[in-house]
Amino acid sequence: MMEDKELKELAEMEYYDNKEKLPKLEEELKFLLIPKDPDDDKNIICEIRAGAGGEEAALFAGTLFRMYTMYAERKHWKMEVLNENETGLGGYKEITFMVTGKGVYSRLKFESGVHRVQRVPDTESSGRIHTSTATVAIMPEAEEVDVEIEINPADIKMEVFRSSGAGGQHINKTSSAVRLIHEPTGIVVECQTERSQFQNRDNAMRMLRTKLYEMEKQKQDNEISSARKSQVGSGDRSEKIRTYNYPQGRITDHRIGMSIYQMENFLNGDIDEMVDNLIAADRAERLKGEEE
């Protein structure tokens, strides 16, 4: 049998070992007690729109779309383009797409806001740096079971038109593209990526339902007291959240003051380091709000 002295020494070792782990376990427990965002496990609908900067802004919108496409591939998520308005040089005035997979909203929800790019456009002969912007909106998909959203068919005006690509050239000769107008709110959605009018209408309804859900979610968020509201980002589309500085090879997120000097990797979808830090900062702010 083990002597009492040996038992005592073993117990003391275990005690001091666990005592050192205690502060870390307490912090982890606090984070686990923070209420989970009920939308975290949802799929998303993302809208990217060119902002200030003309054709350069449209090209930057295309760069962001490519970045999120490559990030989705890394995560083994599925992407589906719902609507696009492409420019002649390969950029986008706007593009709307859906991302489905595990925890999509939890990883991408802090991408909402104004993204700013500083670079020398290919069309700039003098080498002058231009500043352009694109707006990203990340919206959790509203499923039909979401009781908060009730759409009265009588409130929807539907228009059909011919699908068209860059330069206004018609992709087909039938009026398969669909535009839905929700008259009570003035929300307008379009879908023209499918050949079937019925498929386009179904996709447009998903987009409309999601926009109405996002509007209701924003209303609820605004009612939360400022002490409990995350300061990392409210998803306000007018908030400048990030700058992509090409000459310095630097991406800076202004909400957490973090810079990454791996421009090529970042734009190729390697954005997890930034995402992880945004999530950590959000948790810290929410924990602070709970304690107050």
Side-chain angles (χ1 to χ4, degrees), residues 64-202:
L64 293 176
F65 172 61
R66 177 181 177 275
M67 179 180 80
Y68 294 130
T69 298
M70 296 185 77
Y71 184 59
E73 289 175 355
R74 288 170 179 260
K75 294 295 184 183
H76 305 291
W77 294 335
K78 180 182 176 182
M79 283 191 63
E80 176 187 1
V81 175
L82 301 177
N83 194 50
E84 58 185 353
N85 187 348
E86 193 174 0
T87 64
L89 295 179
Y92 293 97
K93 290 182 181 177
E94 60 182 275
I95 183 166
T96 304
F97 56 95
M98 186 171 186
V99 186
T100 58
K102 185 177 180 181
V104 175
Y105 184 70
S106 69
R107 301 294 297 173
L108 290 178
K109 60 184 175 181
F110 299 116
E111 294 300 301
S112 286
V114 176
H115 295 240
R116 182 177 68 172
V117 63
Q118 295 173 323
R119 62 184 177 186
V120 179
D122 293 336
T123 55
E124 176 59 60
S125 57
S126 66
R128 186 166 59 92
I129 296 173
H130 284 230
T131 297
S132 306
T133 62
T135 302
V136 175
I138 303 290
M139 299 169 285
E141 182 194 14
E143 302 170 1
E144 292 188 31
V145 295
D146 286 327
V147 295
E148 301 96 328
I149 305 302
E150 294 182 6
I151 302 177
N152 185 347
D155 292 335
I156 300 175
K157 178 182 177 182
M158 187 174 93
E159 299 175 350
V160 295
F161 57 99
R162 290 183 180 181
S163 299
S164 60
Q169 295 179 344
H170 294 305
I171 294 173
N172 57 52
K173 296 181 179 180
T174 60
S175 297
S176 61
V178 171
R179 179 183 297 114
L180 298 182
I181 304 169
H182 188 249
E183 296 185 328
T185 60
I187 292 175
V188 179
V189 295
E190 292 182 0
C191 187
Q192 55 177 312
T193 56
E194 304 293 338
R195 292 183 178 273
S196 163
Q197 183 183 119
F198 296 104
Q199 287 178 304
N200 281 327
R201 187 185 184 280
D202 285 345

Side-chain angles (χ1 to χ4, degrees), residues 212-261:
L212 290 170
Y213 179 82
E214 175 69 9
M215 181 180 287
E216 183 63 27
K217 176 181 170 65
Q218 192 67 47
K219 180 181 175 182
Q220 293 175 1
D221 288 346
N222 290 339
E223 293 173 356
I224 299 175
S225 64
S226 58
R228 293 172 59 88
K229 190 173 183 180
S230 166
Q231 299 300 305
V232 171
S234 61
D236 187 345
R237 299 186 192 188
S238 65
E239 178 187 6
K240 184 185 73 177
I241 63 167
R242 193 175 298 151
T243 294
Y244 302 72
N245 186 304
Y246 274 67
Q248 297 179 16
R250 184 187 74 233
I251 306 100
T252 300
D253 196 287
H254 305 292
R255 295 163 296 180
I256 56 176
M258 178 180 178
S259 291
I260 291 177
Y261 291 86

Side-chain angles (χ1 to χ4, degrees), residues 21-60:
K21 295 178 181 177
L22 188 60
K24 183 180 178 181
L25 291 172
E26 287 178 343
E27 286 300 312
E28 290 178 357
L29 182 60
K30 287 179 183 178
F31 283 128
L32 290 173
L33 292 174
I34 299 173
K36 183 181 178 182
D37 187 333
D39 292 325
D40 273 354
D41 292 328
K42 287 189 175 183
N43 303 322
I44 65 145
I45 288 180
C46 175
E47 285 183 348
I48 303 177
R49 295 176 182 269
E55 185 64 46
E56 174 63 12
L59 290 171
F60 179 50

